[in-house]
mmCIF file of all heavy atoms in Angstrom:
data_model
loop_
_atom_site.group_PDB
_atom_site.id
_atom_site.type_symbol
_atom_site.label_atom_id
_atom_site.label_comp_id
_atom_site.label_asym_id
_atom_site.label_seq_id
_atom_site.Cartn_x
_atom_site.Cartn_y
_atom_site.Cartn_z
ATOM 1 N N GLU W 41 15.619 7.525 1.283
ATOM 2 C CA GLU W 41 14.411 7.862 0.627
ATOM 3 C C GLU W 41 13.251 6.802 0.872
ATOM 4 O O GLU W 41 13.487 5.595 1.028
ATOM 5 C CB GLU W 41 14.594 8.131 -0.884
ATOM 6 C CG GLU W 41 14.816 6.871 -1.730
ATOM 7 C CD GLU W 41 14.932 7.183 -3.060
ATOM 8 O OE1 GLU W 41 15.192 8.322 -3.584
ATOM 9 O OE2 GLU W 41 14.893 6.100 -3.958
ATOM 10 N N LEU W 42 12.116 7.327 0.927
ATOM 11 C CA LEU W 42 10.825 6.449 1.085
ATOM 12 C C LEU W 42 10.036 6.520 -0.393
ATOM 13 O O LEU W 42 9.795 7.656 -0.816
ATOM 14 C CB LEU W 42 9.976 7.035 2.244
ATOM 15 C CG LEU W 42 10.510 6.849 3.542
ATOM 16 C CD1 LEU W 42 9.870 7.811 4.563
ATOM 17 C CD2 LEU W 42 10.530 5.422 4.042
ATOM 18 N N ILE W 43 9.710 5.302 -0.821
ATOM 19 C CA ILE W 43 8.949 5.246 -2.066
ATOM 20 C C ILE W 43 7.535 4.822 -1.793
ATOM 21 O O ILE W 43 7.373 3.642 -1.337
ATOM 22 C CB ILE W 43 9.649 4.221 -2.963
ATOM 23 C CG1 ILE W 43 11.183 4.614 -3.112
ATOM 24 C CG2 ILE W 43 8.913 4.160 -4.260
ATOM 25 C CD1 ILE W 43 12.011 3.417 -3.698
ATOM 26 N N LEU W 44 6.674 5.678 -1.861
ATOM 27 C CA LEU W 44 5.220 5.470 -1.522
ATOM 28 C C LEU W 44 4.442 5.183 -2.681
ATOM 29 O O LEU W 44 4.042 6.117 -3.493
ATOM 30 C CB LEU W 44 4.702 6.681 -0.711
ATOM 31 C CG LEU W 44 5.471 6.878 0.659
ATOM 32 C CD1 LEU W 44 5.683 8.344 0.891
ATOM 33 C CD2 LEU W 44 4.740 6.196 1.725
ATOM 34 N N THR W 88 10.995 16.124 2.098
ATOM 35 C CA THR W 88 10.651 16.808 0.907
ATOM 36 C C THR W 88 10.289 15.804 -0.261
ATOM 37 O O THR W 88 10.924 14.814 -0.412
ATOM 38 C CB THR W 88 11.877 17.667 0.384
ATOM 39 O OG1 THR W 88 12.233 18.660 1.448
ATOM 40 C CG2 THR W 88 11.436 18.408 -0.830
ATOM 41 N N VAL W 89 9.246 16.135 -0.916
ATOM 42 C CA VAL W 89 8.935 15.357 -2.086
ATOM 43 C C VAL W 89 9.904 15.633 -3.137
ATOM 44 O O VAL W 89 9.945 16.705 -3.763
ATOM 45 C CB VAL W 89 7.533 15.623 -2.579
ATOM 46 C CG1 VAL W 89 7.105 14.765 -3.842
ATOM 47 C CG2 VAL W 89 6.457 15.353 -1.437
ATOM 48 N N VAL W 90 10.676 14.480 -3.571
ATOM 49 C CA VAL W 90 11.785 14.800 -4.513
ATOM 50 C C VAL W 90 11.369 14.265 -5.915
ATOM 51 O O VAL W 90 12.014 14.548 -6.812
ATOM 52 C CB VAL W 90 13.073 14.153 -4.079
ATOM 53 C CG1 VAL W 90 13.698 14.807 -2.802
ATOM 54 C CG2 VAL W 90 13.007 12.647 -3.841
ATOM 55 N N ALA W 91 10.379 13.468 -5.926
ATOM 56 C CA ALA W 91 9.944 12.873 -7.273
ATOM 57 C C ALA W 91 8.422 12.352 -7.182
ATOM 58 O O ALA W 91 8.063 11.956 -6.068
ATOM 59 C CB ALA W 91 10.836 11.908 -7.749
ATOM 60 N N ILE W 92 7.743 12.421 -8.261
ATOM 61 C CA ILE W 92 6.532 11.720 -8.522
ATOM 62 C C ILE W 92 6.620 11.135 -9.826
ATOM 63 O O ILE W 92 6.442 11.670 -10.834
ATOM 64 C CB ILE W 92 5.211 12.582 -8.413
ATOM 65 C CG1 ILE W 92 5.222 13.414 -7.030
ATOM 66 C CG2 ILE W 92 3.901 11.943 -8.627
ATOM 67 C CD1 ILE W 92 4.113 14.494 -6.966
ATOM 68 N N GLU W 93 6.970 9.818 -9.725
ATOM 69 C CA GLU W 93 7.340 9.110 -10.996
ATOM 70 C C GLU W 93 7.061 7.598 -10.824
ATOM 71 O O GLU W 93 6.736 6.993 -9.724
ATOM 72 C CB GLU W 93 8.747 9.372 -11.265
ATOM 73 C CG GLU W 93 9.638 8.802 -10.152
ATOM 74 C CD GLU W 93 11.121 9.266 -10.433
ATOM 75 O OE1 GLU W 93 11.426 10.242 -11.260
ATOM 76 O OE2 GLU W 93 12.020 8.680 -9.781
ATOM 77 N N ARG W 95 8.147 3.804 -10.304
ATOM 78 C CA ARG W 95 9.077 3.161 -9.686
ATOM 79 C C ARG W 95 8.655 1.614 -9.614
ATOM 80 O O ARG W 95 7.535 1.365 -9.802
ATOM 81 C CB ARG W 95 9.375 3.737 -8.330
ATOM 82 C CG ARG W 95 10.025 5.050 -8.263
ATOM 83 C CD ARG W 95 11.562 5.057 -8.673
ATOM 84 N NE ARG W 95 12.175 6.387 -8.424
ATOM 85 C CZ ARG W 95 12.959 6.516 -7.345
ATOM 86 N NH1 ARG W 95 13.058 5.753 -6.335
ATOM 87 N NH2 ARG W 95 13.462 7.752 -7.248
ATOM 88 N N CYS W 107 4.639 6.411 -8.057
ATOM 89 C CA CYS W 107 4.986 6.460 -6.590
ATOM 90 C C CYS W 107 5.362 7.991 -6.289
ATOM 91 O O CYS W 107 5.821 8.672 -7.254
ATOM 92 C CB CYS W 107 6.185 5.666 -6.362
ATOM 93 S SG CYS W 107 5.949 3.850 -6.549
ATOM 94 N N ILE W 108 5.264 8.342 -5.017
ATOM 95 C CA ILE W 108 5.659 9.608 -4.405
ATOM 96 C C ILE W 108 6.950 9.286 -3.675
ATOM 97 O O ILE W 108 7.016 8.458 -2.744
ATOM 98 C CB ILE W 108 4.548 10.136 -3.549
ATOM 99 C CG1 ILE W 108 3.379 10.478 -4.289
ATOM 100 C CG2 ILE W 108 5.151 11.472 -2.925
ATOM 101 C CD1 ILE W 108 2.183 10.802 -3.470
ATOM 102 N N VAL W 109 8.078 9.839 -4.081
ATOM 103 C CA VAL W 109 9.328 9.716 -3.483
ATOM 104 C C VAL W 109 9.658 10.852 -2.517
ATOM 105 O O VAL W 109 9.549 11.928 -2.845
ATOM 106 C CB VAL W 109 10.543 9.604 -4.497
ATOM 107 C CG1 VAL W 109 11.866 9.240 -3.758
ATOM 108 C CG2 VAL W 109 10.200 8.561 -5.626
ATOM 109 N N LEU W 110 9.902 10.433 -1.165
ATOM 110 C CA LEU W 110 10.026 11.216 -0.089
ATOM 111 C C LEU W 110 11.516 11.240 0.397
ATOM 112 O O LEU W 110 11.890 10.175 0.758
ATOM 113 C CB LEU W 110 9.023 11.060 0.992
ATOM 114 C CG LEU W 110 9.111 11.980 2.296
ATOM 115 C CD1 LEU W 110 8.730 13.396 1.929
ATOM 116 C CD2 LEU W 110 8.118 11.320 3.249
ATOM 117 N N LYS W 111 12.201 12.434 0.620
ATOM 118 C CA LYS W 111 13.426 12.444 1.189
ATOM 119 C C LYS W 111 13.321 12.954 2.644
ATOM 120 O O LYS W 111 13.028 14.044 2.881
ATOM 121 C CB LYS W 111 14.444 13.330 0.383
ATOM 122 C CG LYS W 111 15.926 13.241 0.957
ATOM 123 C CD LYS W 111 16.809 14.144 0.034
ATOM 124 C CE LYS W 111 18.220 14.038 0.575
ATOM 125 N NZ LYS W 111 18.750 12.630 0.655
#
Side-chain angles (χ1 to χ4, degrees):
E41 67 176 17
L42 292 163
I43 305 165
L44 297 143
T88 303
V89 176
V90 295
I92 300 175
E93 61 189 16
R95 291 286 188 97
C107 298
I108 299 170
V109 183
L110 176 65
K111 185 175 180 58

